């Protein structure tokens, strides 16, 4: 059974739940893409930890700065723009993302809930004071390089990326709002996520348990169960704009 456009057209509240796949067509490697350059011998899951930062702050800070440089040099793609367009038609749209880039915001989405933090909000590793990054875009280090992290202006501690590392808890406010939206929505669009990382991966299941229709958009066909879960295989930047245009023509 296919997902019906009118389910989206008649929705009062839609949750858009996104993962790294939605930024793939902006040139941002997904989390499980093979790492390249300086990082190719590292497992991303090993680099995205507080322990890795303690062991080698310059390696970890350099990796995140390389990713931030890629995001600064990237543009929102048609999938990001389609979500902003959807929010102009559906009475209420809650955007929940696992991504740490700001491409959804740059596409015109508002109040994006970042379950895994943001590259743009680094803070002191010691005293947690927010650190204001320089506005100057980084010269994208080809393949990345080690970069000594800046120091906190209050306690001189090392500045860490503002992302949620493995083993760390998700931001309370974003998590609570995401769960509440998943319980309330009529439709949840799950876009470009492998659904491997908990508890974020619970969000589509919570929506399904509370009676929503759930549509997975992924280059890999997703296994679905029951009569309210669907899968659309394809690139987000192709499938999502087409779905929004079919649902809200003209
Ligand atoms: N369009 C749609 N889906 C895509 C595309 C695309 N162009 N390219 C890749 N995908 C899909 C892949 O098939 C995969 O299922 O996007 C998904 C990317 O999965 P991951 O790399 O695991 O990224 P994500 O699901 O966001 O990871 C979740 O894991 O490590 C943590 O914090 C990290 O936020 C990340 C979280």
């Amino acid at each position: 059974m296919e997902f019906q456009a009118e389910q989206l057209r008649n929705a009062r509240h839609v949750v858009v739940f996104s993962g790294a796949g939605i930024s793939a067509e902006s040139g941002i490697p997904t989390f499980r893409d093979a790492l390249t350059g300086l990082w190719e011998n590292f497992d991303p899951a090993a680099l995205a930890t507080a322990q890795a930062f303690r062991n080698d702050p310059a390696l970890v800070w350099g990796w995140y700065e390389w990713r931030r440089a890629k995001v600064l040099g990237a543009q929102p793609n048609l999938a990001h723009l389609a979500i902003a367009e959807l929010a102009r038609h559906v009475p209420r749209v809650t955007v929940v993302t696992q991504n740490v880039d700001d491409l959804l915001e740059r596409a015109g989405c508002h109040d994006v809930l970042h379950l895994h933090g943001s590259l743009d909000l680094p803070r002191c590793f010691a005293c947690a004071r927010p650190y204001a990054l320089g506005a100057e875009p980084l010269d994208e280090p080809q393949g990345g390089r080690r970069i000594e992290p800046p120091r906190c202006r209050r306690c001189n501690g090392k500045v860490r990326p503002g992302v949620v590392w493995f083993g760390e808890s998700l931001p309370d406010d974003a998590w609570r709002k995401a769960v509440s939206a998943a319980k309330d929505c009529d439709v949840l669009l799950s876009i470009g996520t492998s659904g491997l990382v908990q508890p974020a991966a619970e969000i589509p299941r919570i929506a399904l348990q509370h009676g929503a229709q759930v549509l997975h958009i992924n280059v890999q066909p997703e296994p679905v169960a029951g009569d309210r879960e669907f899968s659309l295989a394809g690139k987000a930047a192709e499938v999502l704009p087409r779905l929004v245009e079919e649902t809200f023509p003209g």
Side-chain angles (χ1 to χ4, degrees), residues 18-22 24-25 30-33 98-99 116 164 166 191-197 217-220 222 234-237:
S18 66
I22 199 169
E25 279 137 296
T30 68
F31 204 82
R32 281 159 187 83
D33 273 343
Q98 300 168 91
N99 298 342
H116 292 163
V164 177
F166 285 100
I191 305 166
T193 179
S194 59
L196 293 175
V197 172
I217 295 175
N218 196 306
V219 287
Q220 309 286 343
E222 294 282 317
K235 291 184 172 183

Side-chain angles (χ1 to χ4, degrees), residues 193-213:
T193 179
S194 59
L196 293 175
V197 172
Q198 295 296 348
E202 285 301 300
I203 295 297
R205 205 178 54 74
I206 292 169
L208 209 51
Q209 275 179 341
H210 286 75
Q213 315 273 339

